[in-house]
Structure formats: C-alpha cells, structure tokens
Amino acid sequence: MPDRLAAEVTELVGDQADHWDRTGLIPHELLRKMSVRGMLCAQVPQEYGGLGLNSALNGEFTAHVGSLCSSLRSVLTSQGMAAWAIQRLGDARQHTDLLSGLVGGRLAAVGFSEAEAGSDISAMTTTVRPDGDDVVVNGTKVWITAAHYADELVVFGRYGEGGAAVVIPADTPGVTVERVPDPLGCRAAGHSTIRLADVRVPARRLLGGAGMPLPMLVTLVLAYGRMSVGWGCVGILRACLAAAAAHARSRHQFGKPLGEHQLVGRHLAELLVSEQIATRTCEHASALWDANAPDAVTAIVLAKHVGATQAARGAAAAVQVLASAGADNSSPVARAYRDAKLMEIIEGSNELCQIMLAEHVLSDA
C-alpha cells in the first residue's frame, strides 16, 4: 500500500470516527474529496483517472481504512463494487462516462438486497423493463450501504428471464431513499432503503450482461464486496489488537501489568492469531484475484468468512481485555464489536459462506 495513501486517509479521518458513529454521518465533502483522489475505488484503472491499484495493494489500503473507521470502509466497499460492476459489465462509453465520475467526486451505492431476497437472490422482485429508448425500474431495495450519500445507484433486478444492472441517478423522479434509523454497526455508512416507482432512465445506463442469469451477475459484483469486507475485517482486528495491547501494558492489577496475567495474555495471543489468519487468507485471495486464477472465487468467499468470524471473535476478546473501558460505547473496541458483528451478515452471512464452501468441497470430491 502506498504510504502516502495511508498517511492521507489517517489525516482525513483524524479523531472523528467516534463522532461519525454517534451522529450517523460522514461529511459529504470528505467523501467527495476521497472520491476525487481515487481513494474510494482505488482499483479503477489509471486510464479512467483512477489509482489503478491491484487487489493486494487495495486490500492493504482497505484494511488501513477499516482500522480507522468501519463506516468509512463500508463506503469504500460500496463505491468499489459500483466501479467493479461498471468496469466488468459496462461498454467503452460507460467506462468513460461513469467510471470517470466515480473518481471525480460522484458517490455510488449498489442495490442487491430486498425484504424477501437477501441471501436468496432468486427471490428478487425488482424489475428492469425496456421501453423504447429507456428502461423502467420498479422495486424496493433494503439495507443498501452508502445509499444516503450516493449520486448513482447501481440497481440489480429481473430483466425478462434473466437479470440486469442499471445505473440510476439518485435524483431521478420516482427514486426515494430512506435512512435505516438505528443500525447496530457501521452507523455512519449510510444504510438506506431505496424505493423505485416507475423510475425511467435512458437505456444507455443499462449495463452489459442484461439477460444473463441474475445470480451470476450478482455474484460477479459481490466478489469485490466480499474481498473488501475481508480486508476491512483485517483492519478491525489490527485496531483491536493495538488497543488491547496498549491497555494491557499500561493497566496494572494485583501489582503487575495486566498483560502479564496469563489469562489476559491468552486473549492477546488469540487476537494476534486471529489477525494473522485473516491477513494471510486475504493475501491469498488477493493474489489469486490478481492472477485471474479460476479458484479465486472460492478463496474470496473463504477470506470474507474467515475475516468476519475472526473479527467478531477478536473484537469480543478486545472488549474483554479492556473490561469497563471497553464497555464504554465511545471506545474504539466497543465500536469494533458492533461493526464486526455486522460483517458476519453483510455480503453473504456466515451460514451462506459455509454453504458455498461446503458445495466447493463436494464438487471436488
């Protein structure tokens, strides 16, 4: 990861993460500044004005952002998924017009989930219908990360017998965005419900691949999101490890530093193990991504699953080490505890990841 990127985002975040978490908002101007600098979707190729990072470098940058603020990292994940959808499914004109916008100050969200279609993509009811030179979109998307901030909404829905993704300006007539009022974690990530009532946009905003099987389209884009969440969980673990180690060194109980008590030391050791396991799993998945290896898909699911489960376990251990100091909601480890739990749900729940990994095992038998 370029050191300048890490230093720049550290300066931008400063000590504001707790304030953002409490208010549920990240300043729009900060997000737009990061967009213009290419930070929100750092894998966009340089020819479109992006930073052109590979998955490994972008992963380390994502982990750094995740160690500072999981809400901000969630916005990175959302913007990155939108850019990846356009990059993989869009044509040359869409690359030029839309990708350039995402590294030029515009913000984006991606709409998959519905009230009855979370893990079960086949239950999606949102429709994308051609009508002359336009397409018309109807449906409701729920728990859409960064939708509160978004200028562009990449919405997935049914298109005839298959599926499609369409890029909708958030100010299009018929679009309503409503904030999730009190999320458990990543409280400033802008999670929202999107309602689409006869939303009409030019057909040129329909991405390529229209008519492909819907699960195939969604999985293609979710791969980026899962990779980003996995690396973000590495960041959560690094922040928890640093906080727990600092407290265990400085806090004295029964005449010696807290960390010298063996049961506390065990928590620190397990935190280190969790961070290392998550890091190595993400490094492996990113290496396969960058090599365009056929087994990258399974490695990415594994990285997301391992990262999320280890982050939830590690954050709980960090709260335990800090005890009452960790139970204060303004504590970074308390925020990590809430954020990490959300990571076990989004972009494929623990259970869904386990099903996918089991299917991989059976297919290789």
Side-chain angles (χ1 to χ4, degrees):
M1 174 184 57
D3 291 341
R4 69 170 184 83
L5 283 181
E8 199 169 347
V9 77
T10 299
E11 183 178 353
L12 285 171
V13 174
D15 61 355
Q16 300 176 87
D18 177 61
H19 175 70
W20 296 343
D21 186 67
R22 288 179 178 276
T23 61
L25 286 172
I26 300 171
H28 261 86
E29 58 270 23
L30 182 142
L31 295 177
R32 295 200 187 282
K33 183 181 293 185
M34 291 183 68
S35 170
V36 168
R37 297 182 187 182
M39 293 180 175
L40 293 184
C41 45
Q43 285 183 239
V44 169
Q46 292 180 347
E47 63 188 288
Y48 303 113
L51 297 177
L53 299 188
N54 62 18
S55 179
L57 289 174
N58 186 44
E60 279 293 344
F61 176 63
T62 301
H64 183 68
V65 176
S67 72
L68 301 172
C69 176
S70 286
S71 288
L72 180 58
R73 194 277 311 150
S74 294
V75 176
L76 260 73
T77 298
S78 176
Q79 188 95 343
M81 278 199 294
W84 184 245
I86 294 165
Q87 189 175 331
R88 289 300 304 271
L89 301 174
D91 59 25
R93 179 179 177 180
Q94 290 167 334
H95 289 169
T96 300
D97 294 346
L98 299 174
L99 280 181
S100 299
L102 297 187
V103 292
R106 292 184 71 76
L107 306 174
V110 180
F112 298 122
S113 298
E114 300 179 4
E116 301 299 329
S119 299
D120 183 8
I121 297 300
S122 66
M124 190 179 291
T125 60
T126 295
T127 59
V128 181
R129 174 177 56 84
D131 185 16
D133 293 332
D134 298 332
V135 292
V136 179
V137 186
N138 281 281
T140 300
K141 299 295 185 180
V142 299
W143 278 93
I144 306 305
T145 303
H148 174 73
Y149 305 111
D151 303 297
E152 306 280 3
L153 304 170
V154 181
V155 174
F156 285 74
R158 295 194 170 280
Y159 184 83
E161 296 299 314
V166 60
V167 184
I168 303 172
D171 59 0
T172 303
V175 176
T176 304
V177 179
E178 303 167 356
R179 284 291 301 271
V180 173
D182 192 21
L184 169 69
C186 299
R187 291 176 171 176
H191 296 109
S192 303
T193 295
I194 302 172
R195 304 189 191 280
L196 306 153
D198 290 328
V199 174
R200 182 178 293 271
V201 295
R204 67 175 180 273
R205 282 184 163 261
L206 182 69
L207 297 181
M212 288 175 57
L214 187 55
M216 186 181 298
L217 285 174
V218 171
T219 300
L220 176 73
V221 179
L222 271 178
Y224 185 100
R226 288 168 176 157
M227 193 75 261
S228 183
V229 169
W231 276 111
C233 289
V234 170
I236 288 174
L237 284 162
R238 290 176 181 174
C240 286
L241 183 58
H247 185 80
R249 281 192 293 264
S250 61
R251 174 78 163 160
H252 286 69
Q253 292 285 277
F254 302 103
K256 60 182 179 181
L258 191 63
E260 293 183 13
H261 293 276
Q262 289 184 343
L263 291 179
V264 175
R266 179 187 60 127
H267 285 307
L268 299 177
E270 290 179 349
L271 250 173
L272 176 62
V273 169
S274 291
E275 185 273 330
Q276 286 290 294
I277 290 172
T279 298
R280 303 303 162 233
T281 309
C282 286
E283 286 176 344
H284 174 66
S286 280
L288 293 179
W289 177 297
D290 290 332
N292 199 27
D295 49 350
V297 173
T298 299
I300 290 166
V301 173
L302 182 64
K304 190 274 170 185
H305 180 57
V306 168
T309 54
Q310 295 297 328
R313 183 181 304 166
V319 172
Q320 195 70 22
V321 171
L322 270 71
S324 58
D328 186 328
N329 228 20
S330 65
S331 165
V333 298
R335 187 171 71 250
Y337 182 77
R338 291 185 280 99
D339 293 344
K341 185 59 200 175
L342 212 58
M343 299 306 103
E344 293 193 302
I345 300 170
I346 65 170
E347 317 301 6
S349 66
N350 287 354
E351 293 79 8
L352 181 62
C353 288
Q354 289 170 324
I355 289 170
M356 295 171 71
L357 293 170
E359 289 173 347
H360 171 71
V361 172
L362 293 172
S363 69
D364 281 356

